Amino acid sequence: MTVRQLSESLALEVLSLPEPEREVCGAYAGDLLSWVMGRANADNVWVTVMTNANTVAVATLTDVSMVIVTDGSEMPPETLALAKEKGVNLARTKASSYEICVRLGGLLS
Amino acid sequence: MSEPLVFTFEVDGENFTSAGNASVAVKKKLRWLGFPPEIIRRVSVAMYEGEINMVIHAGGGVATVTVLQDRIDIVLEDHGPGIANVELAMKEGFSTATDHIRDLGFGAGMGLPNMKKNTDSMEIQTELGKGTTIKMIINL
C-alpha cells in the first residue's frame, strides 16, 4: 500500500506529501523520540502525538515512510516547513494513536 | 577507496531544533557513496543520539565521521560536565535530562544504549568538569 492510498483510506489531513507513491511496510507507534529511533524500521508508518522539529529529524534518520500525527496535535509551522524541506511525508488526524493503529492493523495485515 | 574520507561537524549546543543536522548530512553522504541502507541506518541512529546528548548535556561539541575501507568511525567530543557514572548512564531508562527536554520527547534514557546497540564497538572517555569523548566503530 502506498502512502497516498493509506492517507485516503484513513481520511488523514495531508500536511506534506513529497513522496506519495512510497510503499508502506508495517507501523510503529511511540512518542519518546529515542525509543522510536531505536525501534522504528525503515518504511514503517510512524504514529505519534509529537510535533516538535526533532520529529522530522527522527523521521528522516529512521527512514519511515510517513508520520501520522494523532489526537489533532497542533503542528508548529517550523515543523511543517522542515518536513517539506526534508521530503518527509506528514499527515494528521483527530483520531487517537490507538484508533489509528487498530485501523492500520486491518489495512496493513 | 584508498584515502579515508573525513567529515567534521560542529554541533550547536544552543539550538535544539537543529540537532540532527550533522546526522542527516552524514546519512546523505553515505547514501551518495552507495553504502547499504542498514549500515547507513546504524551510523545515523548512533550519531543522532550522540548529537542530541551533546546538545542536551554538554552545550554542543564536535562530531567527526571517518569512512575507511573496512569500517566507519564516529568520534563525538564535547567539553561538557562529563558523565558521573558511565555504568548507570548505559542502562536503558536512566536519564538526567530535565522535564523540558522530556516534554520534547527525549530523556527516555535510550541515547547511550541506542548508540551501543547500533555500533560494533563503543568507548567512552569522560572526566567530570572536563568533557566526554565517545568513539564508535561500525564495521563494514
Side-chain angles (χ1 to χ4, degrees), chain A residues 48-65:
Chain A
T48 184
V49 295
M50 296 304 284
T51 56
N52 63 59
N54 302 103
T55 56
V56 175
V58 171
T60 305
L61 292 167
T62 52
D63 216 9
V64 293
S65 53

Side-chain angles (χ1 to χ4, degrees), chain A residues 31-42 50 52-63 78 82 85-86, chain B residues 16-17 19-21 23-24 27-28 31 41 44-45 48-49 52 92 102-108 110-111 114 117-118:
Chain A
D31 304 319
L32 285 169
L33 301 188
S34 284
W35 201 272
V36 176
M37 277 298 284
R39 285 170 167 79
N41 292 315
M50 296 304 284
N52 63 59
N54 302 103
T55 56
V56 175
V58 171
T60 305
L61 292 167
T62 52
D63 216 9
E78 63 266 26
L82 203 57
E85 182 193 324
K86 304 287 183 193
Chain B
F16 201 70
T17 53
N21 283 357
S23 314
V24 172
K27 183 179 182 177
K28 269 191 196 157
R31 201 180 258 176
R41 183 188 148 80
S44 305
V45 171
Y48 181 68
E49 293 289 10
I52 290 291
E92 282 196 10
R102 288 171 199 266
D103 286 346
L104 291 170
F106 296 105
M110 294 299 295
N114 271 352
K117 194 173 114 187
N118 282 284

Side-chain angles (χ1 to χ4, degrees), chain B residues 35-112:
Chain B
F35 284 98
E38 188 49 31
I39 291 285
I40 296 175
R41 183 188 148 80
R42 288 172 63 203
V43 172
S44 305
V45 171
M47 191 163 161
Y48 181 68
E49 293 289 10
E51 248 191 290
I52 290 291
N53 275 349
M54 285 199 284
V55 175
I56 292 176
H57 300 289
V62 176
T64 308
V65 178
T66 308
V67 181
L68 297 129
Q69 212 149 17
D70 59 346
R71 65 178 206 270
I72 295 174
D73 292 353
I74 307 167
V75 179
L76 307 167
E77 204 174 355
D78 71 58
H79 299 288
I83 303 169
N85 185 334
V86 173
E87 201 184 332
L88 200 54
M90 286 303 299
K91 282 197 176 155
E92 282 196 10
F94 177 83
S95 174
T96 58
T98 61
D99 285 348
H100 167 64
I101 297 298
R102 288 171 199 266
D103 286 346
L104 291 170
F106 296 105
M110 294 299 295
L112 288 171

